[in-house]
Structures are given as structure tokens and as C-alpha cells.
Amino acid sequence: MLTLWRNAHVATCDDSMTVYEQGAILTRSGQIEWVGDESAMPKSGPAEVRDLGGAWVTPGLIDCHTHLVFAGTRATEYAERLKGRSYAEIARAGGGILSTMRAVRGASEQELFDQSAPRLQSLLAEGVTTIEIKSGYGLTLADEGKMLRVARALQRSFPITVKTTLLAAHSLPPEFAGRADDYIQVVSEDWLPALHGEGLVDAVDVFCESIGFNVAQSERLFDAAAALGLPVKMHAEQLSNLGGSQMAARHQALSCDHLEFSTPADAAAMSAAGTVAVMLPVAFYCLAEGHRPPIAAFREARTPLAIATDCNPGSAPGTSLLLAMSMATRLFGLTSDEALAGVTRHAARALGEQDRRGVLTAGKAADFVIWNIRSVEELSYWIGFNPRRSVVRAGRVTS
Ligand code: NIG
Ligand code: FE
């Protein structure tokens, strides 16, 4: 059945950020058939007509970097950080990622699902229709698998597309203390093929940092991913510049994420490779970082810029992509248009989904959000206010 969504301001988020002020969208079988000015609408057969009363429509939002599946919280660590203890100090004392690892190992699949679902629902309420979810708090084959299975189960239970990422190279588990090379070898040669064989892995990520894994170790993991035909991405240049993003660009990484310490040469290498620079301003805010990502260099190099929540219990306990947009504009200096492209078109590219979603053009998924706003700038303007009217996923109204 054909559906006509009419009388709307349609922000397509295509390359030229085309807006149709008297716009309409034709959808059928979960796909967009046509988008444009109502006056230019092609003759079509009978359609169910939805009058949107002049509302704004954007593509469904895409949160392209999350650690949404986890157990417990690290609120007490946050309280300690407020008193002056550093993130790295807490990590060295066995807290940080390893504290969440213990909580995840101790949780059943059902418990993990039950704790993660409300966070997903918070994102759904803001019009998020596609999300990436990483493993990385299990750090055994069984527990990484458990996290990825929960991510798949969330997709089955909610109206959302979930892309899974194996982030076993998030932190060195205690079983491998002092043996990071051995750990990377086991992840590359045993865990990755096994989890990929179960259909649980859409991409592979690594925390490339002095407190994570080095560039050589990251590259071994990327080679293993390439051998299985899997795309890669990287937590890069967050606290220092190790040169990870240039290596990632050589491997045509989908994205490099954080990038506070990136250089113009990194930006150029990423741009040439089509690698998206994912900004994570909530982590920057929560860690009270001082070093901003070089937005001017990304613009100059024309590196695509995405924005994500980084939802995780340590550095970014946030489930609002709209707030991440606000922070990306105010803290990092992105324009409203850059922020919107960052949670739609460029976020889709960061997941390798650019041919299927992220823009409102013919042939893409009929995923869109109808907003109670007067201008599209409101999406990065409000702080803690959600102007979503309703959400359409695969052509159906889901909320
Ligand atoms: O993206 N870099 C590491 N990963 C997360 C933090 C994880 C945690 O502290 O639990 C990040 O910021
Ligand atoms: Fe992260």
C-alpha cells in the first residue's frame, strides 16, 4: 500500500541539505518512493493520506556509537571524580571499565536485557531509529557473545535497527594481565571468527590509546577483521595522539571516534579514505576534558562529521542524542546543519549504512521523525526538551 505523507517541511539531510517547505513523501513497503515539493508530485495510484499539518520531518536519527548494553552503574566513581580523583587513577585501581566488566560477567542475558532496554527506550523516544551497540565489558568469549546476543535481542523487541560491534579490545582483562599481545591474538584468531560465525558481529572496534591498545596491536586486529570481510572502526586520539586514525584510514575504517587530539594530517587521511570522524561531546563533558577536537581541520579536509551519545556507564552516562547535538554545537562549535547531518547522513556512513538510510530520498528506508518545531535549528537548541511528535520506521508509525 502506498502512503502519502503530505503538508510537511521535509529536511532531507541529503548532500546539499535540501529542505522542501511544502514537502511530501511517498512510501511503500517500508521504503521511500518519492520525496519533493507537493506541487511536483508524480501521479500515483490510490494512497493512504497522512496530513502532517505543516510539521517538520527529518530522517530517523542514528546513534552510531554506543555501549548501551551494560550492567550496573558507575555513579560512585562519578562522585569520586567530582572530588578530584581522575578517570585513569580509578581505572588503575581496578575500577573503570573493569568494574563494569565484573557487573556484566555477573549478569544473566535476561538481566542485561532488562537493564539495557530502558536506555534504548529513552533513545527511541527522541526519534532514534538506528543504533550501534558495542560489546567490550565481557572480555571473555562467552561474555562478549552474551552482550552481542542482547544487542540482537533488543532489535527483535523494539522498532529499531541495531548494528553490532565487537569491542573485545576495549581493555585488557585480568586473565591476560601483562600479556596484551597474547590477548589480541586470541581475540583475532579465536573470538572474532567464532562470534562472526554466530552472526553476531557487524563491525570490529578497538580502544587505541595509552591505557588501551597500541597501533600495532590495533592493526593486527584490523587484519583479522579484513580476512573475514568485516569493517573496522576505532576509538582514537581521545586522550593523546598515537597515530591510530591514520592507520585506521589505511584500512578504510568506517569511522574514528573521539579524536580530541587529531591533527590536520589525520583529518586529511580520514577524508581521503571516506572515514567518518565521530564526535562524542558527552564524554568530553563528563570527563571535563579541555582539548577540543579540531573542527576547523575536519571542515578544511571535508572529513564527514558525525555525532553520537557514546552511552556508557563510565565516561558518558547519557541516553539523549538531542543533548549530544546541543553539546556538539556549543562545546565543539558545529553548526546546526552540521549537527543534523551528524546524526543522519554522516552517522549512517559511520555504520556503512549510507546506501540504505540517513537521508530522505527515493530508495532509502522509510525511517523518519515528525517534530513539533518551528525551525529545524530547534533540534540542537533545546536542552532536556524533546519536541518529537511521532516516529515512523520502515513506513509504519511506531510512536
Ligand atoms: O568511549 N574508550 C573507552 N570506552 C568508552 C568508555 C568506557 C567506560 O568508561 O566504561 C568511551 O568513552
Ligand atoms: Fe566509546
Side-chain angles (χ1 to χ4, degrees):
M1 176 69 174
L2 194 62
T3 306
L4 166 62
W5 313 78
R6 59 166 301 268
N7 193 14
H9 298 274
V10 179
T12 62
C13 297
D14 66 1
D15 285 339
S16 37
M17 296 300 275
T18 307
V19 171
Y20 297 107
E21 297 289 351
Q22 259 305 319
I25 306 174
L26 282 169
T27 62
R28 191 199 307 266
S29 309
Q31 301 277 110
I32 296 173
E33 275 202 2
W34 179 86
V35 183
D37 269 318
E38 272 190 47
S39 59
M41 201 161 66
K43 289 259 172 294
S44 62
E48 181 190 341
V49 180
R50 306 273 188 137
D51 187 327
L52 302 183
W56 276 86
V57 177
T58 68
L61 305 189
I62 298 177
D63 193 354
C64 66
H65 179 141
T66 87
H67 310 250
L68 177 122
V69 169
F70 60 83
T73 78
R74 305 228 296 274
T76 49
E77 287 185 6
Y78 180 63
E80 286 176 48
R81 296 212 309 272
L82 292 175
K83 290 185 196 147
R85 232 173 145 211
S86 79
Y87 186 69
E89 239 177 284
I90 292 171
R92 274 196 299 274
I97 293 171
L98 294 184
S99 142
T100 303
M101 177 204 76
R102 290 188 289 276
V104 164
R105 287 183 179 182
S108 68
E109 217 163 291
Q110 187 62 47
E111 285 163 349
L112 260 186
F113 181 97
D114 292 343
Q115 291 194 37
S116 304
R119 293 188 280 272
L120 185 66
Q121 285 169 305
S122 166
L123 287 163
L124 284 167
E126 287 191 344
V128 172
T129 52
T130 301
I131 185 178
E132 185 247 21
I133 299 178
K134 301 175 195 295
S135 68
Y137 293 118
L139 310 184
T140 64
L141 173 58
D143 292 301
E144 289 291 295
K146 177 170 73 180
M147 291 186 71
L148 294 170
R149 272 190 293 277
V150 170
R152 290 280 191 243
L154 288 167
Q155 153 148 319
R156 288 194 295 275
S157 306
F158 294 96
I160 195 155
T161 301
V162 175
K163 301 288 284 187
T164 58
T165 300
L166 179 69
L167 178 60
H170 194 193
S171 189
L172 195 59
E175 296 78 11
F176 284 83
R179 296 189 296 127
D181 286 328
D182 292 350
Y183 181 61
I184 290 294
Q185 188 176 353
V186 168
V187 170
S188 302
E189 293 177 11
D190 298 343
W191 299 7
L192 174 57
L195 296 168
H196 176 54
E198 277 187 63
L200 291 172
V201 183
D202 296 326
V204 176
D205 194 353
V206 55
F207 183 31
C208 182
E209 190 57 65
S210 51
I211 57 167
F213 297 90
N214 64 33
V215 178
Q217 289 159 348
S218 303
E219 188 155 31
R220 285 207 289 284
L221 182 64
F222 283 4
D223 286 336
L228 297 172
L230 285 170
V232 295
K233 41 181 55 218
M234 179 185 274
H235 283 71
E237 337 296 8
Q238 179 188 10
L239 308 168
S240 61
N241 190 305
L242 292 192
S245 54
Q246 294 206 29
M247 185 279 282
R250 285 198 298 280
H251 286 256
Q252 275 78 48
L254 291 175
S255 70
C256 289
D257 306 42
H258 285 292
L259 302 174
E260 278 81 347
F261 285 81
S262 282
T263 64
D266 298 340
M270 290 171 60
S271 174
T275 300
V276 177
V278 180
M279 303 290 101
L280 303 172
V282 184
F284 175 90
Y285 164 83
C286 274
L287 295 178
E289 280 181 51
H291 204 288
R292 287 172 168 67
I295 300 301
F298 291 129
R299 280 190 191 126
E300 168 86 23
R302 305 179 69 80
T303 319
L305 284 175
I307 301 165
T309 60
D310 195 15
C311 173
N312 75 68
S315 62
T319 59
S320 171
L321 191 55
L322 293 174
L323 180 60
M325 290 170 75
S326 162
M327 288 180 169
T329 53
R330 190 66 287 173
L331 296 176
F332 291 172
L334 269 66
T335 65
S336 300
D337 267 6
E338 285 172 334
L340 182 56
V343 295
T344 54
R345 182 172 82 253
H346 296 321
R349 176 172 292 278
L351 299 179
E353 287 285 302
Q354 65 274 19
D355 294 337
R356 281 178 283 278
R357 56 192 90 249
V359 295
L360 297 178
T361 57
K364 301 293 192 290
D367 291 356
F368 46 89
V369 191
I370 301 160
W371 303 96
N372 287 324
I373 54 178
R374 291 155 216 82
S375 78
V376 79
E377 287 82 12
E378 285 188 50
L379 297 181
S380 46
Y381 159 80
W382 293 108
I383 297 169
F385 175 67
N386 178 3
R388 180 207 97 249
R389 181 190 297 181
S390 62
V391 182
V392 176
R393 177 166 176 272
R396 285 163 192 252
V397 176
T398 57
S399 69

